[in-house]
């Protein structure tokens, strides 16, 4: 099949306008328990949606007796007894006393809304609350977001606010296990961290505004152009019809140069109190810079709307690339690629849980890049900061609806339970709506390890596939199967755009590397036209007969990778896992440290010996050999001709010479030629500092600034 995937990145770049002042303090009992924020009105002439962060100090209390509703904790008059201050993003699962608490908790905050905002539309946006949220403003309920713990949502709270006065925001979060949602009940194997665990913002817009912009950038390799299919979701919150004109502008993000001058994009009419999705005319970019994990080029697109005294502008970023499935392989921008990476389980550091700060997100993903991770997947929709990192640093990622495990369909006979089916479809639509513009998203993941030969599971995955294709027809779709060991042709995997298989011989599955080899051939025979991605493999010290032993993890990594490299139809390998991970069904540790031992780093990020083994196996450079001495080195480099295999462009060789006391004394670099898979090249490198060299470290550097392989010379 042929799938040309546009790469887009949907990030609304909602600008904050002028400065804001946050005055946060715990009030006295006579006021109320909520912390207080004063916001300056800002620049009222700004044409962008202003984003005001509500992260920081909130008041919080657990509700194990479910007394909050009966006692009206959502009312502004609620007294302060029993509340404490916490910092949002927040989860109570990282506090030892409440680490094992699953249920209801409450958050409160007071915000002084400027009088100047009377003519604005004000929304409150939650990037995620686990797993259900009910929201009140000044004692009135403004909305619910139920049983969808990983997707963003917002409510228009304009009519509930008192401009020029204090306004009390209250959120009731519920993390209790629930059989009507995904993940279903206790089925999943990761941490269920309750709370407002991702950022919260106020969004201040005109009464008619652009909610978001979708961009499909369709690459034409033969012509060297990209066609932009753009649609804007526009809201008219007034009681009058709105008529306006649209304008489009595109910049190269790295240079700030215009690649598409401001262009008229037609007119639109919106009825009173209506939201529409408006398609814009097609636009073309000549000689586009393509997005690639080694060249993560991004564009900034602005859609401006003017009419009836209203001006509004919405920005997003996007990338331009194509992914095809043809001849049983993946093709990126016209090149056959075989990719490798490792999966990260978010929320595993016990200091943060799911309420990860940006610094820890960057820490872990810097590690992934250092591990030569070009392709990963995750079990649930990710924090926007994760996807932004992947866009800007070059990591392909598959994000998934959190459908985990065969117990999802327990006690179902022929059809999936309607509640589960509906919940899955809603989470899928919300995930795609927010994230579809990200160029780093390789594919949409529909479910994981559901036993795809079980009738209700089969029909669930089929419905999810069809829905994803309707909503985003240009991006790949798949699911991670654990049911391809027997009769693979009967699995719902046959409906997917490519095959994903979680392979656990010598761990969860009985067998040997020879069984893996045999099984791979069977899967290929069942699906000869589709590439196979090993979506998980590794070693879990999760059972009494499998004690922790990192040497065993290294052995499984090397042997199973070798077998998969022999199979030319294997298009990708994703090792599981980057980190030991927190989970409510962990077999090691207790409370906030309850976990599974599965990673090449521990919960706190400390590297195990298997870290270096994974980095070596994941490198596109098979070997880097050194001969000579500092006055005349020759470095011989060979690229892999199997997973991972792709052309190395704009890579360079770097040597750093160290003297006594481990002091770096000199650095030399040489550009490498373009290297295709399986090629060898020899590069000379000379140093002026000849005496006292204790070692020289040589690195093959990726264009993104990360080392692909390291070799050390000592005298």
């Amino acid at each position: 099949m042929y799938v040309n995937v546009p790469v887009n990145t949907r990030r609304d770049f909602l600008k904050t306008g002028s400065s804001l002042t946050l005055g946060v303090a715990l009030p006295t009992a006579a006021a109320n328990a909520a912390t207080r924020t004063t916001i300056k009105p800002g620049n009222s002439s700004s044409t962008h949606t202003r984003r005001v962060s509500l992260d920081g100090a909130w008041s919080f209390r657990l509700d194990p007796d479910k007394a909050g509703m009966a006692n009206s904790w959502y009312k502004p008059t609620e007294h302060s007894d029993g509340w404490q201050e916490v910092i949002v993003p927040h989860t109570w699962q990282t506090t030892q006393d409440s680490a094992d608490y699953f249920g209801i908790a409450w958050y409160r905050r007071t915000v002084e809304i400027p009088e100047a905002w009377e003519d604005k539309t004000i929304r409150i946006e939650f990037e995620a609350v686990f797993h259900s949220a009910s929201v009140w403003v000044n004692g009135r309920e403004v909305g619910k977001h139920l049983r969808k713990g990983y997707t963003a949502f917002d409510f228009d709270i304009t009519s509930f606010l008192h401009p020029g006065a204090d306004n009390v925001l209250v959120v009731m979060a519920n993390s209790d296990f629930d059989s009507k949602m995904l993940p279903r009940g206790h089925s999943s194997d990761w941490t269920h961290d309750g709370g407002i665990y991702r950022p919260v913002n106020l969004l201040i817009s005109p009464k008619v505004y652009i909610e978001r912009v979708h961009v499909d950038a369709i690459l034409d390799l033969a012509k060297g152009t990209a066609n932009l299919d753009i649609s804007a979701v526009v809201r008219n919150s007034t009681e009058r019809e709105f008529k306006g004109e649209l304008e489009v502008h595109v910049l190269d993000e790295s240079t700030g140069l215009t690649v598409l001058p401001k262009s008229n994009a037609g007119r639109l009419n919106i009825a009173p109190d209506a939201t529409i999705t408006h398609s814009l005319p097609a636009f073309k970019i000549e000689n586009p810079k393509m997005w690639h994990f080694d060249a993560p080029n991004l564009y900034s697109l602005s859609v401006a709307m003017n009419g009836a005294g209203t001006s509004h502008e919405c920005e997003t970023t996007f990338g331009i690339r194509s992914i095809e499935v043809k001849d049983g392989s993946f093709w990126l921008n016209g090149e056959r690629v075989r990719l490798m990476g490792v999966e990260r389980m978010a929320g595993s550091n016990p200091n943060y849980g799911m309420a990860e700060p940006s610094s820890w997100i960057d820490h872990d993903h810097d590690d992934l890049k250092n591990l030569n991770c070009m392709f990963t997947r995750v079990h649930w929709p990710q924090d926007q900061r994760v996807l932004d990192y992947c866009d800007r640093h070059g990591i392909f990622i598959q994000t998934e609806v959190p459908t985990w495990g065969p117990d999802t369909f327990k006690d179902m006979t022929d059809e999936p339970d309607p509640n589960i089916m509906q919940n899955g479809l809603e989470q899928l639509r919300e995930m795609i709506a927010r994230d579809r513009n990200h160029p780093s998203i390789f594919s949409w993941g529909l479910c994981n390890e559901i036993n795809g030969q079980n009738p209700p599971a089969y029909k669930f995955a089929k419905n999810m596939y069809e829905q994803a294709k309707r909503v985003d027809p240009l991006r790949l779709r798949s699911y991670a199967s654990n049911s391809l060991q027997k009769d693979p042709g009967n699995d719902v995997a046959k409906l997917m755009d490519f095959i994903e298989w979680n392979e656990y011989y010598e761990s969860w599955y009985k067998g040997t590397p020879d069984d893996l080899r045999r099984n791979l051939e069977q899967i290929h025979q069942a699906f000869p036209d589709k590439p196979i991605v090993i979506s998980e493999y590794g070693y879990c010290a999760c059972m009494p007969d499998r004690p922790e032993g990192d040497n065993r993890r290294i052995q499984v990594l090397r042997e199973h990778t070798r077998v998969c490299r022999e199979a030319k139809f294997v298009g990708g390998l994703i090792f599981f896992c980057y980190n030991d991970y927190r989970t409510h069904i962990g077999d090691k540790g207790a409370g906030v440290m309850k976990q599974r031992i599965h990673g090449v780093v521990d919960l706190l990020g400390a590297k195990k010996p298997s870290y270096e083994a994974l980095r070596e196996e994941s490198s596109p450079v098979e070997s880097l050999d050194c001969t000579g001495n500092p006055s005349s080195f020759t470095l011989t480099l060979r690229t892999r001709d199997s997973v991972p295999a792709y052309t190395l462009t704009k890579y360079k060789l770097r040597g750093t010479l160290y003297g006594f006391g481990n002091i770096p004394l000199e650095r030399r670099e040489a550009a490498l030629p373009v290297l295709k898979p399986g090629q060898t090249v020899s590069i000379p490198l000379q140093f002026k500092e000849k005496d006292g060299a204790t070692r020289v470290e040589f690195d093959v550097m990726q264009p993104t600034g990360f080392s692909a392989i390291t070799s050390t010379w000592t005298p």
Side-chain angles (χ1 to χ4, degrees):
M1 65 177 296
Y2 177 92
V3 180
N4 188 27
V5 180
V7 286
N8 329 294
T9 131
R10 185 235 168 212
R11 202 174 65 167
D12 277 342
F13 273 116
L14 299 172
K15 297 185 177 178
T16 57
S18 298
S19 63
L20 60 103
T21 301
L22 300 181
V24 178
L26 280 177
T28 63
N32 58 53
T35 53
R36 190 174 186 280
T37 301
T38 300
I39 304 173
K40 289 185 177 180
N43 181 6
S44 60
S45 64
S46 173
T47 60
H48 294 83
T49 291
R50 183 181 175 197
R51 181 182 292 266
V52 176
S53 174
L54 291 183
D55 293 350
W58 288 61
S59 292
F60 169 79
R61 69 185 299 178
L62 297 174
D63 188 9
D65 299 323
K66 300 182 179 178
M69 287 299 296
N71 293 320
S72 303
W73 289 0
Y74 53 85
K75 290 186 176 180
T77 54
E78 160 63 13
H79 58 75
S80 61
D81 294 345
W83 296 76
Q84 60 179 305
E85 182 185 282
V86 298
I87 302 300
V88 169
H90 168 262
T91 175
W92 62 81
Q93 247 74 45
T94 55
T95 302
Q96 197 62 43
D97 290 345
S98 55
D100 297 320
Y101 173 72
F102 302 98
I104 294 172
W106 295 73
Y107 294 84
R108 296 172 64 88
R109 186 166 189 171
T110 296
V111 180
E112 182 183 349
I113 299 297
E115 210 167 346
W117 290 0
E118 280 190 306
D119 63 341
K120 304 292 184 182
T121 295
I122 303 173
R123 291 168 286 159
I124 187 167
E125 174 196 64
F126 296 87
E127 294 197 21
V129 177
F130 191 82
H131 55 70
S132 292
S134 299
V135 181
W136 291 263
V137 173
N138 296 324
R140 298 164 61 198
E141 186 177 287
V142 299
K144 299 177 184 288
H145 188 255
L146 304 180
R147 302 183 177 96
K148 293 172 286 188
Y150 303 101
T151 52
F153 60 98
D154 64 74
F155 299 122
D156 185 338
I157 59 174
T158 309
S159 63
F160 298 83
L161 293 170
H162 306 314
D166 284 351
N167 295 265
V168 179
L169 311 178
V170 178
V171 178
M172 181 179 72
N174 186 355
S175 71
D176 208 359
F177 293 96
D178 195 312
S179 64
K180 296 181 180 180
M181 60 169 275
L182 299 170
R184 187 184 184 203
H186 292 74
S187 66
S188 61
D189 182 12
W190 62 79
T191 180
H192 280 227
D193 282 358
I196 306 176
Y197 70 96
R198 290 181 186 163
V200 187
N201 297 283
L202 286 181
L203 308 179
I204 300 91
S205 310
K207 293 293 186 181
V208 184
Y209 59 93
I210 304 171
E211 284 190 7
R212 62 184 183 272
V213 173
H214 295 156
V215 188
D216 288 341
I218 304 172
L219 181 62
D220 189 325
L221 288 167
K223 295 181 179 179
T225 61
N227 293 318
L228 303 185
D229 289 342
I230 306 167
S231 60
V233 179
V234 187
R235 169 72 180 155
N236 177 9
S237 64
T238 72
E239 297 178 353
R240 302 179 304 277
E241 181 185 22
F242 176 84
K243 296 182 179 181
E245 295 184 346
L246 295 173
E247 188 177 68
V248 172
H249 185 211
V250 179
L251 301 175
D252 180 329
E253 263 215 349
S254 63
T255 64
L257 297 177
T258 294
V259 296
L260 180 66
K262 289 185 178 180
S263 305
N264 186 285
R267 297 184 57 81
L268 79 162
N269 293 356
I270 314 176
D273 191 27
T275 302
I276 65 170
T277 299
H278 181 79
S279 295
L280 279 62
F283 293 94
K284 182 179 292 185
I285 294 180
E286 301 285 346
N287 303 312
K289 290 181 178 179
M290 290 179 284
W291 192 96
H292 187 284
F293 47 78
D294 277 340
N297 299 305
L298 295 174
Y299 292 92
S300 176
L301 179 144
S302 170
V303 176
M305 177 183 66
N306 295 283
T310 296
S311 297
H312 189 243
E313 188 172 353
C314 183
E315 293 181 354
T316 186
T317 56
F318 68 98
I320 298 171
R321 53 102 170 119
S322 69
I323 296 175
E324 303 169 59
V325 170
K326 66 177 183 179
D327 303 327
S329 298
F330 294 121
W331 296 74
L332 171 61
N333 300 334
E335 178 199 356
R336 182 177 184 245
V337 295
R338 303 176 73 187
L339 304 176
M340 189 165 177
V342 58
E343 181 171 349
R344 167 188 182 257
M345 295 291 276
S348 291
N349 187 316
N351 295 314
Y352 312 124
M354 283 289 192
E356 294 175 324
S358 297
S359 59
W360 190 253
I361 289 173
D362 289 348
H363 165 278
D364 280 5
H365 287 83
D366 283 349
D367 254 5
L368 263 60
K369 287 293 291 185
N370 189 54
L371 285 166
N372 290 298
C373 176
M374 303 302 176
F375 182 31
T376 187
R377 60 179 282 257
V378 285
H379 283 63
W380 58 87
Q382 294 293 288
D383 192 301
Q384 191 81 329
R385 292 167 293 178
V386 170
L387 301 182
D388 287 343
Y389 184 101
C390 293
D391 286 347
R392 295 177 183 281
H393 295 84
I395 300 177
F396 272 127
I397 185 170
Q398 174 176 292
T399 62
E400 298 179 3
V401 175
T403 317
W404 192 94
D407 282 354
T408 302
F409 303 97
K410 187 178 180 181
D411 300 326
M412 301 179 200
T413 53
D414 187 53
E415 297 287 338
D417 178 270
N419 291 311
I420 293 297
M421 190 71 255
Q422 182 63 27
N423 185 257
L425 292 170
E426 289 179 7
Q427 292 200 52
L428 177 69
R429 287 191 288 263
E430 290 183 12
M431 176 176 71
I432 295 176
R434 190 200 71 167
D435 298 338
R436 60 176 291 165
N437 287 358
H438 285 282
S440 56
I441 292 185
F442 184 89
S443 49
W444 300 121
L446 309 177
C447 32
N448 176 79
E449 297 187 355
I450 60 170
N451 182 7
Q453 300 186 35
N454 179 28
Y458 187 107
K459 291 180 180 178
F460 175 91
K462 179 178 183 291
N463 290 342
M464 293 286 281
Y465 177 90
E466 292 170 350
Q467 178 69 22
K469 189 171 184 177
R470 281 193 293 270
V471 177
D472 185 9
L474 297 174
R475 193 175 257 106
L476 299 173
R477 301 149 291 266
S478 193
Y479 101 100
S481 176
N482 67 334
S483 45
L484 298 176
Q485 293 83 276
K486 294 182 180 179
D487 302 319
N490 294 327
D491 198 274
V492 70
K494 66 185 178 184
L495 303 182
M496 303 295 135
D497 296 330
F498 61 96
I499 306 303
E500 290 187 313
W501 179 40
N502 290 356
E503 181 275 299
Y504 280 114
Y505 283 108
E506 299 190 281
S507 188
W508 293 108
Y509 308 162
K510 293 181 180 179
T512 67
D514 287 336
D515 294 303
L516 165 59
R517 183 180 289 104
R518 171 191 52 77
N519 205 160
L520 276 172
E521 288 292 341
Q522 291 174 342
I523 297 170
H524 176 57
Q525 289 173 15
F527 314 111
D529 298 328
K530 296 183 179 182
I532 297 171
V533 170
I534 305 301
S535 39
E536 290 181 31
Y537 71 118
Y539 175 77
C540 179
C542 306
M543 302 292 286
D545 62 337
R546 278 183 264 135
E548 169 61 3
D550 201 53
N551 287 338
R552 183 65 178 135
R553 183 169 292 107
I554 294 171
Q555 183 181 11
V556 169
L557 163 65
R558 293 196 189 280
E559 291 183 356
H560 289 228
T561 301
R562 175 178 52 81
V563 171
C564 292
R565 283 181 174 140
E566 295 169 359
K568 299 301 183 183
F569 46 80
V570 171
L573 296 173
I574 302 175
F575 189 76
F576 191 88
C577 183
Y578 163 68
N579 48 350
D580 296 341
Y581 60 95
R582 295 174 54 243
T583 170
H584 65 97
I585 58 174
D587 59 297
K588 304 286 193 306
V592 69
M593 305 288 280
K594 199 171 185 181
Q595 63 186 282
R596 285 208 188 275
I597 309 299
H598 220 311
V600 300
V601 305
D602 67 15
L603 290 187
L604 300 175
K607 298 177 176 66
K608 306 176 188 179
S610 54
Y611 180 98
E612 287 302 325
L614 179 59
R615 180 171 185 265
E616 178 183 322
E617 292 292 337
S618 300
S619 176
V621 180
E622 185 177 89
S623 61
L624 178 62
D625 298 321
C626 172
T627 59
N629 56 58
S631 62
S632 181
F633 280 120
T634 298
L635 282 300
T636 301
L637 176 155
R638 179 175 175 80
T639 59
R640 294 193 192 276
D641 62 359
S642 187
V643 189
Y646 42 86
T647 300
L648 306 191
T649 303
K650 294 186 178 179
Y651 278 61
K652 61 186 177 183
L653 178 66
R654 172 184 292 173
T656 305
L657 183 147
Y658 292 82
F660 293 107
N662 201 33
I663 298 171
L665 299 176
E666 188 178 356
R667 172 170 286 175
R668 293 287 171 179
E669 292 185 346
L672 293 175
V674 173
L675 294 170
K676 295 185 179 299
Q679 285 191 319
T680 300
V681 66
S682 293
I683 302 291
L685 208 63
Q686 297 178 344
F687 291 86
K688 295 180 180 179
E689 194 74 41
K690 299 178 176 61
D691 298 326
T694 59
R695 79 179 195 280
V696 181
E697 286 193 357
F698 296 100
D699 290 278
V700 175
M701 303 299 298
Q702 304 168 14
T704 52
F706 293 87
S707 169
I709 191 172
T710 303
S711 180
T712 302
W713 172 90
T714 56

